[in-house]
């Protein structure tokens, strides 16, 4: 295992924080994968239609031997396992798992774009990512710190996991 990947987690239906906890357990149990760290959980206002509940967001860092598309399949299987409900475009959902970064790889496939297309302009991704890895540099050479947003519209609702080994 030697590929570090960052996964964005988001939920705003059916006990969102519990969905994130459960997803972290599932990430920790993936084959050939170790969960290295998770950020705090943040409450964030919805991007998209405003008549939906606030989201809970976090970012996890994993070390994995799964190739990017195999990892994507595994993330979608976790979403489905947790009874993913998605009602409308940019609407409410039980669980979203986005592959944000996979090492320094850039991919532009029909099923998968890495880095994730929304990474640079979503506070609910940038802030937890920054908490985990303030010195991160993106594949295009841009430092995360230069993206770090000035607006502070995210509220921390749970502290980070201290010891991911307890998840196994
Ligand atoms: N808005 C917030 N705040 N958090 C999300 O995780 C999120 N995910 C989405 C859309 C619908 C774009 N809005 C979101 O997919």
């Amino acid at each position: 295992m030697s590929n570090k990947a960052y996964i964005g987690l988001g939920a705003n239906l059916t006990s969102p924080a519990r969905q994130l906890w459960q997803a972290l357990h599932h990430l920790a149990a993936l084959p050939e994968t170790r969960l290295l760290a998770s950020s705090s959980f943040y409450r964030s206002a919805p991007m998209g239609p405003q008549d939906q509940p606030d989201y809970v967001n976090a970012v996890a860092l994993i070390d994995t031997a799964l190739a990017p598309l195999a990892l994507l399949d595994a993330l979608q299987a976790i979403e489905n396992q947790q009874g993913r409900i998605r009602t409308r475009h940019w609407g409410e959902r039980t669980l979203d798992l986005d592959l944000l970064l996979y090492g320094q790889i850039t991919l532009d496939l029909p099923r998968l774009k890495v880095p994730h297309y929304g990474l640079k302009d979503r506070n609910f991704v940038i802030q937890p990512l920054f908490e985990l890895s303030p010195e991160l540099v993106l594949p295009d050479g841009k430092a995360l710190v230069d993206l770090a947003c000035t607006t502070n519209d995210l509220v921390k609702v749970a502290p980070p996991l201290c010891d991911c080994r307890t998840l196994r």
Side-chain angles (χ1 to χ4, degrees):
M1 284 184 242
S2 57
N3 303 296
K4 302 269 191 299
Y6 291 87
I7 313 297
L9 300 91
N12 73 343
L13 287 180
T14 328
S15 306
R18 189 178 310 169
Q19 296 294 339
L20 263 56
W21 276 110
Q22 212 175 331
L24 288 169
H25 278 83
H26 284 134
L27 286 175
L30 286 180
E32 302 178 84
T33 299
R34 270 190 320 139
L35 176 61
L36 298 180
S38 119
S39 71
S40 306
F41 289 5
Y42 293 86
R43 190 172 67 239
S44 65
M47 170 186 249
Q50 294 298 293
D51 61 337
Q52 58 178 318
D54 283 352
Y55 281 77
V56 177
N57 284 107
V59 169
L61 171 61
I62 61 172
D63 188 6
T64 187
L66 296 176
L69 284 174
L71 180 56
L72 178 66
D73 287 340
L75 298 180
Q76 290 178 348
I78 295 172
E79 290 174 341
N80 293 334
Q81 209 174 331
Q82 292 189 212
R84 177 180 170 118
I85 301 169
R86 208 176 180 173
T87 51
R88 51 183 165 154
H89 182 62
W90 276 26
E92 44 279 89
R93 64 236 10 237
T94 323
L95 178 65
D96 230 358
L97 296 177
D98 291 329
L99 177 48
L100 301 172
L101 290 164
Y102 187 99
Q104 287 296 307
I105 279 179
T106 301
L107 282 176
D108 190 357
L109 304 171
R111 277 189 69 206
L112 180 63
K113 306 211 182 323
V114 179
H116 187 272
Y117 71 96
L119 190 156
K120 286 185 175 172
D121 50 31
R122 297 183 172 186
N123 283 359
F124 57 83
V125 173
I126 295 171
Q127 204 165 313
L129 195 53
F130 187 75
E131 179 192 337
L132 281 186
S133 300
E135 297 182 351
L136 193 68
V137 176
L138 303 181
D140 66 2
K142 232 186 171 6
L144 185 67
V145 67
D146 294 329
L147 300 176
C149 26
T150 45
T151 54
N152 199 1
D153 54 353
L154 269 67
V155 180
K156 231 181 240 193
V157 290
L161 292 173
C162 296
D163 186 352
C164 293
R165 284 168 301 180
T166 59
L167 284 170
R168 291 217 71 119

